[in-house]
Amino acid sequence: MTDRFESLPYRGLPALRLHSPDGGTVTVLRYGAQVVSWQPAPGDERLFMSERAYFAPGKPIRGGIPVVFPQFGPRGPLPRHGFARTLDWTETERRAMDTFTTATWRLSASDATRKIWPAEFAAEVTVSVERSRLDVELHVENPGAAPFEFTTALHTYLAVPELEAIRIAGLEGTEFEDQTRGNIRSRQQTELLAFEEEVDRIYAAPKPQLVLHAPRRPLLIEQSGFRDTVVWNPWEEKCAAFADMAPGEFRRMVCVEAAQTLVPVQLAPGAEWSGRQSLSLAG
Ligand code: BG6
């Protein structure tokens, strides 16, 4: 334990704040191994957290980086977006490196998970921070005797100054499933994705590097391991219907999720899979 690691309550839940040597911080809850804040410099928050987010057992937290596992959305028999985001994970490792600070949390099959999903799994989330960069890695193993499959996402809520002023670059030419239009397949025609209505798209195997163009806050978004990228903004009506979002808050966020949803990951006994999303200050 050094002063790189600070245990604290965050909205009443146990959290660990990692400080990088160059002044960046990331705050991670035991609940869901969910990142709830990334600040490259004090006060410069880059992740969105809803003013009305629930911080209560059993409820998902609307903001930060929820870990979606082992089911994306309602595409299966499990709770929406799986159960990993509403269970406590166990911290297993923390390390203070020369240029960054990192910690790992683990969730394994338990009586509670076996009741709804028979897989013998072990999952780990590793979060690493430096001033200009945040890395989140999900690692899943199959220590059991039977194969299983899963879908997953790092459901990153990015804070934006004004939704209509942002653009996402890097998706041109990529096919997507449009979840606002009965999952019909379309192709991204424009170089830049702008937000003028609800957007809920699963881009199939896009380029692994996107850029969020936001006034004064450009961000490079990279992923590896995850095949797909989900881009989501609920827009006005859906936002107003969410009890855990304040009206108008949809203008301050966009989700860009490193995801594996269209083709599930298959894990044979003894096999493992890893996926990573990295956010870095651009420009
Ligand atoms: C996104 C989905 O990943 O998550 C959307 O593509 C969904 O369809 C959104 O509305 C939020 O889900 P939830 O369960 O956190 O409200």
Side-chain angles (χ1 to χ4, degrees), residues 107-159:
L107 180 75
S108 309
S110 63
D111 290 346
T113 67
R114 288 183 194 104
K115 266 189 206 148
I116 53 173
W117 196 52
E120 290 303 318
F121 71 95
E124 280 186 348
V125 167
T126 298
V127 178
S128 308
V129 68
E130 51 190 289
R131 191 192 69 78
S132 59
R133 185 180 170 101
L134 175 70
D135 285 283
V136 182
E137 179 166 319
L138 175 67
H139 179 82
V140 184
E141 292 171 14
N142 180 356
F148 63 81
E149 64 173 45
F150 63 92
T151 50
T152 180
L154 295 174
H155 194 305
T156 304
Y157 285 80
L158 300 170

Side-chain angles (χ1 to χ4, degrees), residues 60 62 72 80-81 85 155 157 179 200 230 232 242 257:
R62 190 159 313 279
F72 181 83
R80 200 186 151 69
H81 280 335
R85 63 180 179 165
H155 194 305
Y157 285 80
Q179 299 197 97
D200 191 357
V230 178
W232 178 61
F242 283 132
E257 309 167 33

Side-chain angles (χ1 to χ4, degrees), residues 176-186 200-202:
F176 63 86
E177 260 188 29
D178 191 340
Q179 299 197 97
T180 68
R181 296 184 173 80
N183 295 337
I184 58 164
R185 283 263 178 163
S186 300
D200 191 357
R201 300 176 174 184
I202 304 175

